[in-house]
Amino acid sequence: MMHTKKCVIYCRVSSEKQAKEGHGLDGQERACRDWAEANGYKVIRVFREEGITGTRLDRPAIMALLDFVENSLEPVDVVMDNINRAARDVGVHFTIKKHLEQVGSKLRFINMDFDDTPEGEFMETIFSASAALEGRQNRARVIQRQKARLKSGYWTFHPPTGYDFENISGHGKMLVRHEPDASIVAEAFL
């Protein structure tokens, strides 16, 4: 298939754990490459955001992407796996979209297409708001689980100096002493 249009791909996962342990970024990239090929696009670059929330605009990869597209000699569309990869905030989503439109580029999602009509913009706003709601609900669930675990006597934060987490059968991750650091810290408080 002859490629006439150019695009970049943007992939994002919101936690470092997802970036290190999961295959989310690779899966997103593969799906975007397949979509680009099927739709006559030539992929010229991939931007990967590893472990950063979509509620912020000041993410390194999205800022690099916007700079790259702005400085391209011709319009370059941006392909993403899902609208929730662009942003988990309606304002951030439309800031990205407006920036791209100002340089003649478009935001493309492989599983949805929003036309340039009032109805299309309305649907895009609803899906963007839904992504924001989902992100806030995820955060609330994590906080709720952390509070429940704290109330049960478990440490849910970064381990203090002298301690590490260890998986204990029947209990999950538990804080355990890490020697010789634990003894040194204990001695400092004597």
Side-chain angles (χ1 to χ4, degrees), residues 6-174:
K6 293 181 180 176
C7 73
V8 296
I9 292 173
Y10 176 79
C11 309
R12 182 184 64 79
V13 292
S14 57
S15 76
E16 288 183 29
K17 183 177 180 182
Q18 289 173 315
K20 290 177 184 172
E21 296 177 11
H23 301 287
L25 291 170
D26 294 337
Q28 288 176 46
E29 182 178 339
R30 179 77 263 144
C32 289
R33 284 186 181 280
D34 291 346
W35 183 92
E37 177 70 26
N39 287 278
Y41 280 92
K42 178 181 179 182
V43 177
I44 58 174
R45 189 151 171 206
V46 176
F47 295 86
R48 295 166 67 107
E49 203 81 71
E50 299 183 16
I52 298 181
T53 177
T55 59
R56 298 174 27 204
L57 179 61
D58 64 339
R59 295 173 262 156
I62 200 73
M63 298 308 289
L65 178 149
L66 294 173
D67 186 57
F68 179 85
V69 170
E70 183 178 328
N71 291 306
S72 293
L73 298 176
E74 58 187 307
V76 176
D77 287 352
V78 177
V79 178
M80 295 184 196
D81 175 61
N82 192 300
I83 196 168
N84 64 17
R85 299 302 84 202
R88 291 284 194 172
D89 179 274
V90 177
V92 172
H93 172 85
F94 282 103
T95 297
I96 292 168
K97 181 180 179 180
K98 182 178 180 183
H99 186 86
L100 293 172
E101 287 175 343
Q102 288 174 339
V103 295
S105 299
K106 289 190 175 268
L107 198 50
R108 304 282 186 191
F109 304 105
I110 67 171
N111 59 357
M112 55 188 69
D113 187 25
F114 303 108
D115 55 22
D116 292 329
T117 64
E119 295 81 7
E121 184 177 334
F122 176 73
M123 291 306 299
E124 186 171 1
T125 302
I126 297 235
F127 278 98
S128 178
S130 178
L133 173 63
E134 183 183 4
R136 288 183 183 101
Q137 288 174 326
N138 286 343
R139 184 176 187 278
R141 281 191 295 271
V142 166
I143 290 169
Q144 183 180 26
R145 285 186 206 117
Q146 285 178 327
K147 284 180 179 178
R149 203 131 158 94
L150 275 171
K151 286 180 182 178
S152 297
Y154 295 95
W155 187 257
T156 62
F157 309 103
H158 185 76
T161 303
Y163 291 85
D164 279 324
F165 284 118
E166 187 176 306
N167 279 317
I168 307 294
S169 180
H171 296 281
K173 287 185 177 179
M174 291 193 61

